[in-house]
Each structure stands twice: as structure tokens, then as C-alpha cells.
Amino acid sequence: MAGMITAHLSPEGSARPRHIDESPLARRLLIGLALLFLALVVFIPLVSIFIEAFRKGLALYGAAITEPYALSALRLTLLTAAIAVPLNTLFGLAAAWAITKFRFRGKNVLITLIDLPFAVSPIISGLIFVLLFGAQGFFGPWLDERGIQIIFALPGIVLATVFVTFPFVARELIPLMQSQGSQEEEAAATLGASGWQMFRRVTLPNIKWGLFYGMILCNARATGEFGAVSVVSGHIRGQTNTLPLHIEILYNEYQFSASFAVASLLVLLALVTLLAKSAVEWRTSRAMAATQQPDPLAREGGANHAH
Amino acid sequence: MHIEVKRLNKTFGAGTPAVDDVSFGIARGRLIGLLGPSGGGKSTLLRMLAGLEYPDSGEIRINGQRVNELAPQQRGIGFVFQHYALFRHMNVYDNIAFGLTIKKEKKTVIAARVRELLALTGLSGLEKRYPNQLSGGQRQRVAFARALAPRPELLLLDEPFAAIDAKVRKELRTWLKQLISQLGITSIFVTHDQDEAVEVADEMLILQRGRLEQQGAPQTVYERPQTPFVASFIGHSRTLEAPQRLRGFDGAVTAGGSAIVRPEFVEAGLEGELSHPSASEPGTVRHLFFRGTHLEVEVELDGNRLLANRPLDRPPLQVGDCVQVLVHRLYVVEGETVRLLDNPLKHDPFPVHI
Amino acid sequence: MKGSKSRRVLPGFGLSMGVVIFYLGLVVLLPIAGVFIKTAGMSLSDFWAAVSNPRVLASYRISFLTAFVAAAVNLIFGPLIAWVLVRYRFPGKKVIDSLVDLPFALPTAVAGIALTSIYAPSGWIGQWLAPLGIKVAYTPLGIMIALIFIGLPFIVRTVQPVIQELERETEEAAVMLGAYRLRTLRRVVVPELVPAMLTGFAMAFARGIGEYGSVVFISGNMPMRTEIAPLLIRTKLEQYDYAGATAIAMVMLIISFAMLLAINYLQWRASRRVVME
């Protein structure tokens, strides 16, 4: 996106006649206002995490992120993401394929249903699984008899995480595959490719960056989910504590530096996510610019086709 | 017959039919132009032949064998898509080789075939390029080579020149015609541009609102249009509302009917220039259009306005000049059919009343 | 030929649709249905008592009010940031552009503790505000700050592409018709942005109502004053009052669905406008 933005700008703003754009003064004022707002709301909180994390020195930082409870929380978080992300990736691929390659009734309803988990409060996302599998839940007694524990254990944490991160991959892929159309798949079909060959050799290479970004987003949310997991986890240190829950416990125990130290790990992950997003956008905008420049007519036709 | 289509129908959703009771046959090795206005059902018909759409009813036979139930993968048809649909993540070589790798051909066989096609399409040296590094004409040729690689028996091309700018388009269609006749492969291409169809095709199928209006060689279709639509669609023409008022046609055309006239069948000139002065009538010049190779004159006659072609070596005319007009031929619309009518006075140079 | 209309050329419809329906049903629809079933098991008077209790009503009020004000603040600054990012050049623009997405990527709990430490009376910003008598942390104002943080990218990212697609020519046309800059912006540019701004507002508002992680740290969680609805659900669950928790959740779910439909409607309307033009 950033690449496309620069392409839209005239080389020097001041070269344009007066009264067509904002005056340089107004322009500086607006930039200043936007940056001030971003600084207060986003930038200062970001920086503060690292400063708080290192306030009591490197040694304490190191100790905070290597103590056994932190490590076990990290392990649990990674394990949860390692289950939730592949599941939702498979689902996202299936949903995008069904929705973008075929016509059927109720498509819009299906798309809305896929968005549903985004609209539900994280706390309610946890609550629904407590209602199903908790001790007083619908399946609680049945599970209890068989000694299966879901709530306050790993399965509950995984379920809540899967629910919360459910739409990410599908939502990245659907618009992407819609804009790409089905012509390449049809071309592959006329050349004799079977369904699997078509998917693996034509579709997958075309969507790999979008898919990658969807998985990164899904992973970021899966590792960072707090509300839903806090309802279904039992907050048992060393057993059912994920990293965000560990941060909460440390914070509530007034171990601020340790809490921010562990938080800084998740911040790094968030920054990697943003970096991946920029990289994917840079790649796609470059690819788009490359396909569009030499042949303006083809681009026009392509746009029509997309409708 | 190589390709036979019988009573084919296709409707999308609840709308009007896209293809409406279409039947035709195509002999082996012919190059067919599927012509008609946009939205006339041409692409739908082509996609049904390819197996990319399934017909609601009717039958498609290739080599006498019904293929309705065959998936596109099994039909052995080459398809060139309107926007080429090149695999954007594969280079030129891999695009062309795709169909052969699906067939699990040997690497050496594939390499030989791709080289052959690269040479044939003039793309040698570009095999490592990606689609976005090619010009429109080059992409078109890659799409063509890719479709030909698995040696299909039938080649379908959906608006193959639509996305290419005008200048390259002319070169490309001459090239394509030569190449296809050299290969001898049965081919059908869709176009909405009649010049393209006339120039390239051995035979034209004219489709309008899903119905097949006429099938025939370009010249036949031009000279003997069978329906009012074809008469007005092919060539440059004008519809006359009062043809019975034209000199020579008063007895042959009933009042209230309409007729189509082409400028190449109308002469307009000064006294003494016309071939059959006795069959002409006076008119007034209203507009003059320079068409490069000739002049087009719009003349007003009693109740009709029509266009006439005039060679450039004749004396110049001015707007407002009085000229003699001779109509050689009319296409008289009679319901759903068209009757060709030559000016009767031309063949009777000494009418009875002299 | 039987069933010809339903035949499809590309393969995998049955498989992919099967996976979608099965997984969607199991992971999303069945669990959400649980809330409805649980609520259906309550008597109407019990349900009413659970959702109309003063503490519950106060929590709704706080959740809605703070989410609304936060989305409204973003409605001013979001388009401003989007405009600045699309139209102007300044050093570090690309970094700032990615920074807008930070609230999407940052775990909510991390955002929560960071905002609390900054806006607490002893924090970086809080210490400047405290002498002025402005308390942020542990007041509704703090909740709003957290929700502004959470909602910002929704509005920026829905408005930004629209500004990118704006044709400079229409602005120039307004100039040729004699309009000066401010009037051009007000009459030509802003109307084009309104549908996207509304969509972004609805998304930020919906997210704000349900937000939990970034709020619980900064809100102070005082019943009747700074206790948000999601926290109250959590509290009831910890007291094993499942019915009470479910009743509050039910009300919030219905509101969420309504918001989701409203957002879809707004987006559908915006897309229809584009196609028609």
C-alpha cells in the first residue's frame, strides 16, 4: 500500500498552482495534527513497553523471560497457535475456493457467518465454550464421566483461540481470489489439469502471499488473544497460562518490569507481523504495477472481468 | 463433419437465453469466425464447446462423438482466453509446457515441442520472461502457443485480439490466419469486429441474441444476407423507411416496408457520369465525407436519405449541389427474411413508354 | 441430460463446501447456539431481572457511551490520518503507515498495560494531566483512550483506499467551476468519503462494545462507574452465575449481530454506488 501511495503523489507538492491543493501551511498543520494524535495513541505506548521492560536492567529482563512459568506460558501459546493456525488455514482455503469459484444461493449469508467471530466480544467467545463444555455446561456431565477435561485445560484454550481467529485467512483470500477470477484455472482445465493439479500449480502460487499474510495475522491474534482465553483457562501457572495471561498475573502482582518484559516479546511478534504486511503489500503492488504498465488495454479488460 | 452442434440451449439464471436453439456443422480444417454484437452469446457458445459451461439442452459432437458429458480436461481442445489467462507466476517456457507436463511427457519431448512452438510464434529468446514482462502481442502469442502445445484437434479463441491496440492487431491477425492455415487445425474464433471476421475467417457464423442468424463464407454472407439483422450488421449500410419512392423500385417494394441499402451499390454524380442514366433520379448533396480511398456522399432524395460512394478522380461536389442518383441494389426486408433486389430499370434500358 | 444446470466446471465444490459447512457449524454456529439455548431455558422474569439490574444497566451504558465517543473521536482523526498518508509526503511516512496497524497486531493485554502505565497519574502523560485536574486512568476517559487505540485502524483503513481512488480530476473540475480549497473539500471530497467513514465508524463502535483486554487494566473496574459489560460477564462467570452471564451475553450478541448486518449493509451500499457510477 505504501508503494502505491507514493505513486499517487506529484513529485513536488509546491509545484502545483495555488488554490488547487491545501496551502503549505495548512498541509504542515494537518501533518502535525495527525502525527501528534498517532504519537499519543499509538507510538508512545509502543515505546513505553520497551522502556518499562528494561527499566530495572537487562539482568531482570533476562530473568523475567526465562523463568520457568514464562517459558511454559510461551510453550502453551506456541502450541495453541500451532494447532489453531493450520486448522483455520485449511478452512480459509476451502471457504475461499467455494465462495470465489462457484455460484450458489446464500453466498452472502455464508460470508456474513464467516465474519461472525469478529463481531462477538472475546469474553463471549470464551463464555460459549464454558456453556458447552464447562462443569455445568451441556456436555459437562458427559465429559466428566469419561474424565475428559476441556474447560480450564488445553482443549478449551485451543477451541476459544480457533473461534477468535476463525475468519482471518478466509477474509484475506476471498477478495484476492475474487479479483484474480477463474480464468487461469479454466485455462489449466483446457490443458488437461486435474483439480488437485489446478490448485497446486496454478491457484496456490497465485495466492501464496495473501495466504502467508492471512496466516501471519491469524498467528498474531492466536498468540495474543486474551479475553476469550482468560475465560476458559484456569490460570494455573505452568499449566494453563498463556503469555498474555502470564502478563496479566505479573501486572496484578505489581511485578511491572517483568510483566513488560514478557509483553515486549509479544510486541516483537506484532512488529514482525506489520513488517510482513508491508512486505506482502510491497510485493503485490509491484506485481500489479508490472502487469498494468505495459498494456493499459489489458488492464481495462481485467477490471471489467472482475465485475 | 468435424464439429456438429444440434439445438443447443443455455440460459443463465432466469434471464433471456444466452444461446437459443443453435445448430451448425463445421468441416475439418476450417477457420471459423463467430461474429455478432457484444452480449450475443458468442463467448457462451465457445465456452460450451470447450466444456467450460454445460448446455441446458442440445448436443455437441466432435468427430461424431457426443462430448456433452466430457470434462474440459478430456476434450483435447485448445482454448485461447480473451485476456490470455497466462499463469502469472510461470515464465513463458513453463506456460507453454504446462499442458505437456500434465500429460507427463518426457522432459526432452517437452523441451523439443516448446522450442518448436517458440520458433513458430516468434518468441524464441523470451522463454525466461514472465507474463508481466511481455507486451500485449507477445502475451497473445504465448497464449496461442500454450493452447497448441498438447496438439489439440480443435482450437478455440475468445476475442483473441480484443485486448491489443489497433496497430498490432492488424499484423497479428494476418499472422494468425497464415499460421492456422499452415497447421491445418480446425479453429473457431469469437469477435465482434466484422472487419476482423471478414479478413480472417474461411466461414462466418453470425450470432445475435443467442440465435444463429447465418452461416457461410464472408463473401456469401455479405452478398446474400438472409436476415434483416445480417444485412444491416455486415458492411456499411443504411435503412430506408420509404424505399418504394426510389426510382425503379416503386412497383417492386410495397409501401410501409423497409429496405437496406449499401453505399457501394449507389452512384451519385453529375449528368452523364452515371452508367444507367435512365434509372437515376435527381437528389441534393447534404454532406460529404472523405474516407481516404473514396468520397462518401450523403444525398437527399424524395423522402429518403442515403449514402453513395464516389471515386476520387471524379469532379468535386459541393454541399447543396444537385446530382443524379442511381440505386443499383436494395435488400428488401420482408418479415424475418431479406430479398435481394437489383434495380429493374437497369436491365431494361428501353422502357416501354419510349 | 439430468441436472445439467447444477454441474460445475471447476472441481472441488462438494469438498470445499462440505469442509466449510462442517467446520463453521462445529466451531462457530453450534457454540453460539449454546447461548440461545441456555437463555431459552431461563424464565422471562429471571432473564429480565438479570439484564435490568442497575449494575448491569450501568455496565451497558458505560460500554456503549465510551465505545461511541471513542469511535466519534476516531471519525475525526481517522480520515485526517488517512488523508495525510495518501496525499502528503513527509519523512518516515511508510513507517507511520504501518504503525496505524499496530492496534490490530498488538495483543490487547499488552496494549492495556502500556496505556495504563502511561496515563496513570504517575505515568508519562498522566503526570502532565494530573495537575490540570484531568484523571485518565481508572475513569471512563481511560476506557475511551483504550477504545480509541483499538478502533483507530478500522476507520483509517476503510477510508484510505477511498481517498486513493478519488479522482484528482473531480477536484480540479470543482476548481475550474470556481470553488476554493475548503469548499472543494467540503462539497466534493467529504461526500465521497462518507460511506467509508460510516462503515469504519460502525466497525470501530462494534469492536469497542465488546473489547476487553485493553480496557480492563485502565478502567479500574469499579461497579457502576467504570465496569464494562464484558467484564461483568467475566465476573458473573467467576461467581458461577452462568445464567446471569449468559443473559448479559445474549443482549450483547444481539447487538453485535445487528451491528454486523448494519456494516454489511453499509458496505453493500457503498459497493453498489461504485458499480453504478
Side-chain angles (χ1 to χ4, degrees), chain A residues 5 8-9 16 20 22 40-41 45 88 91 95 97 102-103 112 119 121-122 127 162-163 195 230 235 277, chain C residues 8 10-11 13 20 23 27 35 85 87-89 93 101 118-119 149 164 172 181 210 234 249 256-257 264:
Chain A
I5 291 163
H8 273 267
L9 286 161
R16 281 168 71 87
I20 293 185
E22 293 79 32
L40 284 179
V41 175
N88 284 334
F91 164 78
W97 183 265
F102 304 99
R103 277 181 297 223
T112 308
S121 170
L127 165 79
V162 165
F163 179 92
S230 83
H235 303 271
K277 184 188 179 197
Chain C
R8 295 162 208 274
L10 295 177
F13 181 71
V20 170
Y23 191 70
V27 174
V35 175
L85 286 174
R87 287 294 176 93
Y88 304 153
R89 274 158 90 92
K93 193 168 98 162
D101 280 329
I118 293 171
Y119 287 96
F149 173 86
Q164 256 164 13
E172 285 168 359
R181 192 60 190 157
R234 171 89 202 270
S256 301
F257 294 161
N264 277 2

Side-chain angles (χ1 to χ4, degrees), chain C residues 200-260:
Chain C
F201 176 85
M203 286 173 162
F205 181 51
R207 174 73 199 263
I209 296 171
E211 178 56 24
Y212 175 75
S214 61
V215 175
V216 282
F217 296 97
I218 203 169
S219 70
N221 306 331
M222 282 164 286
M224 307 299 292
R225 286 201 47 224
T226 58
E227 186 179 54
I228 54 170
L231 180 74
L232 191 55
I233 296 176
R234 171 89 202 270
T235 311
K236 296 228 178 240
L237 271 179
E238 278 171 356
Q239 295 160 352
Y240 298 103
D241 179 7
Y242 284 19
T246 310
I248 303 172
M250 180 74 192
V251 172
M252 290 191 67
L253 265 184
I254 288 170
I255 291 159
S256 301
F257 294 161
M259 294 297 298
L260 187 64

Side-chain angles (χ1 to χ4, degrees), chain A residues 110-230:
Chain A
L110 183 62
I111 294 174
T112 308
L113 286 178
I114 290 173
D115 273 350
L116 205 56
F118 275 165
V120 174
S121 170
I123 290 295
I124 298 178
S125 309
L127 165 79
I128 55 180
F129 291 103
V130 174
L131 289 184
L132 282 188
F133 304 117
Q136 300 176 30
F138 299 116
F139 303 114
W142 188 87
L143 291 167
D144 212 31
E145 277 170 27
R146 283 153 188 81
I148 304 169
Q149 192 167 16
I150 290 184
I151 299 303
F152 306 141
L154 177 70
I157 294 171
V158 170
L159 273 173
T161 307
V162 165
F163 179 92
V164 169
T165 57
F166 182 82
F168 280 100
V169 177
R171 286 199 53 139
E172 274 309 304
L173 291 182
I174 290 169
L176 178 67
M177 286 170 67
Q178 207 122 48
S179 73
Q180 288 182 344
S182 304
Q183 279 217 335
E184 286 183 44
E185 281 80 9
E186 287 177 355
T190 64
L191 292 166
S194 68
W196 172 242
Q197 285 171 321
M198 195 186 290
F199 177 75
R200 196 176 55 84
R201 299 187 52 179
V202 176
T203 312
L204 205 54
N206 278 340
I207 61 169
K208 64 180 176 210
W209 288 103
L211 181 66
F212 169 70
Y213 179 51
M215 289 170 72
I216 287 275
L217 270 183
C218 186
N219 181 60
R221 185 72 196 266
T223 46
E225 179 50 31
F226 176 66
V229 172
S230 83

Side-chain angles (χ1 to χ4, degrees), chain C residues 56-72:
Chain C
V56 175
L57 287 180
S59 78
Y60 287 146
R61 198 172 57 239
I62 291 158
S63 281
F64 277 89
L65 225 58
T66 51
F68 187 86
V69 174

Side-chain angles (χ1 to χ4, degrees), chain B residues 173-327:
Chain B
R173 67 194 190 203
T174 321
W175 172 82
L176 190 69
K177 182 176 171 67
Q178 282 169 354
L179 198 59
I180 288 177
S181 67
Q182 185 187 329
L183 295 168
I185 177 175
T186 312
S187 308
I188 304 175
F189 71 98
V190 159
T191 178
H192 60 267
D193 177 351
Q194 55 156 312
D195 290 346
E196 199 166 287
V198 167
E199 192 183 314
V200 179
D202 299 332
E203 205 176 304
M204 300 202 295
L205 290 176
I206 295 165
L207 218 61
Q208 194 230 171
R209 291 194 195 155
R211 300 191 68 95
L212 180 61
E213 297 268 337
Q214 191 167 355
Q215 177 179 14
Q219 202 171 345
T220 318
V221 172
Y222 176 79
E223 283 176 357
R224 303 232 157 234
Q226 282 164 6
T227 67
F229 172 78
V230 175
S232 62
F233 186 69
I234 300 295
H236 191 43
S237 67
R238 221 171 232 216
T239 304
L240 301 179
E241 296 305 326
Q244 75 283 359
R245 295 210 204 158
L246 290 176
R247 179 162 165 79
F249 295 94
D250 40 352
V253 186
T254 49
S258 66
I260 290 155
V261 64
R262 297 202 164 127
E264 53 269 39
F265 295 138
V266 180
E267 269 187 276
L270 305 171
E271 205 92 43
E273 279 179 6
L274 301 187
S275 48
H276 301 271
S278 59
S280 71
E281 61 180 308
T284 314
V285 176
R286 289 300 175 204
H287 282 111
L288 290 164
F289 306 96
F290 179 59
R291 297 291 186 210
T293 55
H294 63 272
L295 206 63
E296 206 168 81
V297 187
E298 185 177 18
V299 287
E300 186 171 345
L301 302 175
D302 173 32
N304 288 306
R305 266 198 186 213
L306 38 84
L307 291 167
N309 284 354
R310 182 173 166 83
L312 291 175
D313 54 0
R314 298 272 169 85
L317 294 176
Q318 303 290 328
V319 171
D321 282 358
C322 204
V323 288
Q324 287 300 115
V325 180
L326 166 59
V327 179

